[in-house]
């Protein structure tokens, strides 16, 4: 466990030193501009727009970091051969992998929390006070984080057996596919054959269902999210990450390094 | 390296993991069902914001929403549920891509149809098509759709005629548009006019839902025709015998009918308690007729 | 009988090669050898011989096509045994966003040292490899030689029983080479087992108890440096100056090689005095007499030349 933690902390340190967190500046600017403008153009739905916009930005920025840094987590160490010395230490490959995963998720957590704080500031600016229902925004942010963790695990998995570019494409492809799961399940009524329908319905349970984590609308309208959903989504993300990391570990443990 | 980890992965981790995912997904789906409606609504309340956020990909986003429209209609139509989100969805899709002709045509049909076959919002149908015409003035079929909404849903023959005339001036417009306008003004709505219009819709559309809708209307028009005919025969029978026939058999026995007339689904018509010819409650068309409460 | 520190049996490695990796390239062929406890073993061979491949196999960085190896009696797939092993990769490269002391501290964590112990060890190691003043500089600013020193420090940080060093002297200036040599000698004095690879023979001659010579993926011979040298016939070399016109010298000059105004003559040890007498009689002026001591280098060249085609291939791959 301490080995995994060591790798994770070092990954976090790398991200910080590589100025990954600079994106926060961009987010802060976006929120400031939005807060100022929104107050002037819309009536009554300022906070709705701020929340939708803020959550979208948190999600997109998080996803970009997850995909691009996630793919580089392992492949960069293989490419630059920094892994040689590390693997000569008493550390198993899966421990390294899980540590890398944890490190990036830690980075993204810090990053996302900071952005959420920025969002609340912008909200305070347009609303002047908070309501209890704004807590849903925190849940939405938490769900985004869960979603991002799954994306990181996928990026890691793909980078264990393909080139970084392909890994990015695969991860992005899966993410987009994961947004259309609802559509895949509801193919009934259209002209596709039952076999194809069955196939897509089957696939739709294997692919990560990113729509599960989308409660942006509820957050924007201050609608409560059922507590059980928080538990279920947490379990979903945990199980999914575990599956993907297990697969990645098996692949990576058998890989000959360059 | 031993093969053990692979075996463990394939035999235990993957099956057990995905079994868990499967179960969880079903519970999550129920939880989300309540929130899901809300989601569409939110993005919908502000199509303009949505367009700004979509950047140059607005047409792509529009296409995505357009697919959502079709699915929304498909899933709800089957269960005869309300279609309250149809208008906001169509509004969004056509704001994102004003040239999305199929969306206008679809909307004109299903916003205008009364509940539960459609959303029962002919005013929104008019608003949508007027937007379509504004953005695509050279596309004459939209005038046809506008005329149809006035004619069928709003029963406003004057406005309907106006729309057909307007459309007949667009390039490539079919010649029947002008004739139709004149006809409606002269005779008002008749079975014959309705049949002509639905046939035209059926033949000109590629959208399976729209075609299916038109087909149902045509079939129901045919039954209307049949029933009118039967009623006339019943009147004849009453004149002859001095009493109303209680069933079709009496007409056959009296030599007025040579056989048992059936609806397009092959189920014989019956005579209702009021003494009028009616669809057989056993016929699949009976439910359809209720759902469409046709004009 | 004690277990050898490193025991390699029939180790073979094929790398995928060619279009879509459909072909295979054999880089190590049935390597069988042992390194005894406390021994300094030199792994000798030209570029592309398979030295690094062997070491990477031992460290579990790549996996063998067939064969097996044990370190300290435990199979190489057992990562826990890395506690007792130190490894310096060839041309090491480390996280360039860390300073040398941060890197060493990071690596030290995997051995479970306490914070205080880590600090003490890092300082000691930096001093040992001559980087005590550069410990707070980010590694991206390090020269190749400095990285080599950091690499050495991380390899011996935890006082491993077995140290595996892949070309530890490469990239170093003469002073650096000397310092590294001293460190290796110190490790040897401490009774640690050392396996190191090099293509520079003097290093091996100076440090090794035994050497193994590998060429083209095949082990050509193992032995004490002088044993290997002894494989070649010894003899004496006489340098002299002589008059060409003298009829008496003609017979001798025919056997000698001329360089400048001097001649060199190789003779077996037992006929040295006889030849010297002959030369004296012929009036030649003898300038030096020396024992011909074949170096590892000559032995090396001899092996390489044995298979010229192979040597050519090695050149191509080595670069
Ligand atoms: N990752 C690799 N892929 C393909 N061939 C390799 C790889 N690494 C080494 N080789 C080949 O294996 C042979 C041995 O290489 P190496 O062990 O690095 O030699 P040495 O360390 O003795 O110079 C060389 O011919 C080299 O080209
Ligand atoms: Mg090498």
């Amino acid at each position: 466990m301490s080995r995994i933690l060591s790798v994770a902390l070092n990954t976090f340190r790398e991200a910080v030193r590589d100025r990954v967190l600079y994106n926060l500046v961009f987010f802060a600017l976006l929120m400031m501009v939005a807060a100022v403008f929104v107050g002037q153009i819309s009536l009554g739905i300022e906070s709705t727009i701020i929340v939708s916009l803020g959550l979208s930005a948190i999600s997109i920025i998080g996803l970009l970091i997850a995909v691009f840094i996630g793919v580089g987590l392992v492949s960069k160490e293989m490419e630059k051969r920094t892994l040689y010395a590390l693997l000569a230490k008493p550390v198993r490959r899966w421990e390294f992998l899980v540590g890398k995963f944890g490190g990036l998720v830690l980075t993204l957590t810090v990053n996302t929390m900071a952005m959420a704080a920025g969002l609340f500031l912008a909200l305070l600016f347009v609303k002047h006070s908070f309501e209890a229902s704004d807590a849903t925004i925190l849940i939405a942010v938490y769900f985004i984080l869960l979603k991002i963790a799954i994306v990181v695990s996928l990026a890691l998995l793909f980078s264990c057996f393909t080139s970084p570019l392909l890994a990015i494409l695969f991860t992005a492809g899966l993410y987009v596919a994961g947004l259309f799961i609802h559509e895949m399940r509801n193919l009934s009524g259209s002209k596709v054959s039952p076999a194809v329908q069955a196939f897509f319905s089957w696939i739709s349970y294997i692919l990560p269902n990113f729509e599960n984590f989308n409660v942006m609308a509820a957050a924007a309208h201050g609608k409560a999210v059922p507590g059980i959903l928080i538990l279920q989504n947490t379990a979903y993300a945990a199980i999914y990450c575990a599956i993907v990391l297990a697969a990645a570990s098996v692949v990576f443990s058998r890989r000959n390094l360059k | 390296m031993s093969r053990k980890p692979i075996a463990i992965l394939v035999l235990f981790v993957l099956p057990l993991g995905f079994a868990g995912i499967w179960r969880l997904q079903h519970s999550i789906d129920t939880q989300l069902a309540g929130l899901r409606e809300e989601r569409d609504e939110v993005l919908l309340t502000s199509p303009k914001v949505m367009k700004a956020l979509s950047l140059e990909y607005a047409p792509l986003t529009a296409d995505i929403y357009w697919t959502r429209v079709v699915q929304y209609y498909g899933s709800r139509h089957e269960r005869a549920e309300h279609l309250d989100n149809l208008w906001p969805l169509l509004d969004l899709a056509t704001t994102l891509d004003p040239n999305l002709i199929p969306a206008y045509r679809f909307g004109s049909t299903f916003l205008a149809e009364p509940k539960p076959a459609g959303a029962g919002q002919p005013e929104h149908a008019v608003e949508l098509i007027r937007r379509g015409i504004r953005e695509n003035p050279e596309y004459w079929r939209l005038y046809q759709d506008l005329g149809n909404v006035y004619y069928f849903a709003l029963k406003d023959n004057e406005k309907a005629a106006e729309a057909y005339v307007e459309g007949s001036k667009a390039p490539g417009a079919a010649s029947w548009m002008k004739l139709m306008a004149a006809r409606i003004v002269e005779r008002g709505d008749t079975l014959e006019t309705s049949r002509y219009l639905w046939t035209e819709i059926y033949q000109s559309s590629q959208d399976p839902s729209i075609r299916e809708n038109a087909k149902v209307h045509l079939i129901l028009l045919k039954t209307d025709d049949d029933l009118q005919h039967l009623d006339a025969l019943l009147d004849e029978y009453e004149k002859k015998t001095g009493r109303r026939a209680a069933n079709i058999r009496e007409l056959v026995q009296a030599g007025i009918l040579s056989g048992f007339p059936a609806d397009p689904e092959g189920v014989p018509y019956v005579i209702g308690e009021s003494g009028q010819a009616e669809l057989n409650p056993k016929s699949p068309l009976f439910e359809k007729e209720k759902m469409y409460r046709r004009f | 009988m004690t277990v050898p520190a490193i025991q390699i049996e029939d180790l073979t490695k094929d790398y995928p090669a060619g279009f879509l990796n459909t072909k295979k390239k054999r880089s190590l062929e049935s390597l069988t050898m042992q390194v005894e406890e406390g021994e300094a073993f030199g792994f000798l061979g030209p570029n592309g011989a398979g030295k690094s491949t062997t070491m990477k196999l031992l460290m579990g960085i790549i996996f063998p096509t067939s064969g097996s190896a044990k370190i300290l009696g435990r199979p190489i797939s057992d990562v826990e045994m890395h506690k007792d092993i130190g490894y310096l990769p060839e041309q090491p490269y480390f996280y360039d966003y860390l300073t040398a002391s941060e890197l060493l501290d990071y690596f030290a964590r995997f051995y479970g040292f306490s914070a205080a112990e880590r600090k003490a060890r890092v300082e000691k190691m930096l001093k040992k490899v001559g980087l005590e003043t550069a410990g707070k500089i980010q590694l991206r600013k390090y020269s190749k030689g400095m990285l080599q020193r950091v690499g050495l420090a991380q390899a011996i940080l935890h006082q491993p029983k077995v140290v595996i060093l892949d070309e530890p002297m490469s990239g170093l200036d003469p002073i650096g080479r000397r310092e590294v040599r001293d460190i290796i000698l110190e490790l040897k004095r401490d009774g640690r087992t050392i396996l190191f690879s090099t293509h520079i023979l003097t290093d091996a001659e100076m440090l090794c108890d035994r050497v193994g010579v590998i060429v083209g993926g095949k082990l050509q011979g193992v032995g004490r440096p002088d044993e290997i040298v002894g494989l070649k016939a010894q003899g004496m070399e006489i340098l002299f100056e002589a008059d060409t016109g003298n009829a008496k010298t003609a017979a001798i000059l025919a056997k000698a090689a001329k360089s400048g105004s001097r001649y060199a003559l190789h003779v077996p040890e037992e006929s040295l005095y006889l030849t010297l007498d002959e030369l004296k009689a012929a009036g030649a002026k003898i300038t030096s007499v020396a024992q011909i001591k074949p170096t590892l280098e000559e032995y090396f060249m001899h092996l390489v030349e044995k298979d010229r085609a192979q040597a050519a291939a090695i050149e191509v791959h080595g670069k």
Side-chain angles (χ1 to χ4, degrees), chain C residues 47-48 50-53 90 166-167 197:
Chain C
N47 288 329
K51 308 182 294 292
S52 300
T53 300
E90 187 177 23
D166 201 347
E167 312 230 357
S197 74

Side-chain angles (χ1 to χ4, degrees), chain A residues 131-183:
Chain A
E131 300 154 46
S133 60
D134 290 333
T136 309
I137 299 174
L138 276 180
I139 297 171
V141 170
Y142 174 62
F143 281 2
I144 289 175
L145 204 53
L146 291 179
K147 172 175 82 171
I148 289 174
I150 297 181
V151 173
V152 172
S153 70
L154 290 172
L156 256 182
L157 170 65
F158 289 128
S159 72
C160 282
F161 61 82
T162 58
S163 71
L165 183 65
L166 279 181
I168 288 174
L169 285 179
F170 285 158
T171 312
L174 258 194
Y175 180 74
V176 173
L179 289 177
F180 284 94
I181 284 195
H182 191 62
E183 277 73 9

Side-chain angles (χ1 to χ4, degrees), chain A residues 84 256-258, chain C residues 13-17 25-28 43-56 62 90 166-167 197 199 214 217 313-314 316-319:
Chain A
Y84 284 20
N256 285 299
L257 300 186
K258 263 244 152 44
Chain C
K13 177 66 183 173
D14 292 337
Y15 282 114
K25 180 177 172 296
R26 181 144 296 188
S27 299
L28 194 63
F43 213 20
L44 220 54
N47 288 329
K51 308 182 294 292
S52 300
T53 300
T54 308
M55 294 181 161
K56 285 194 261 182
I62 53 177
E90 187 177 23
D166 201 347
E167 312 230 357
S197 74
H199 59 267
I214 184 169
I314 288 163
V316 172
H317 291 296
K319 288 300 133 194

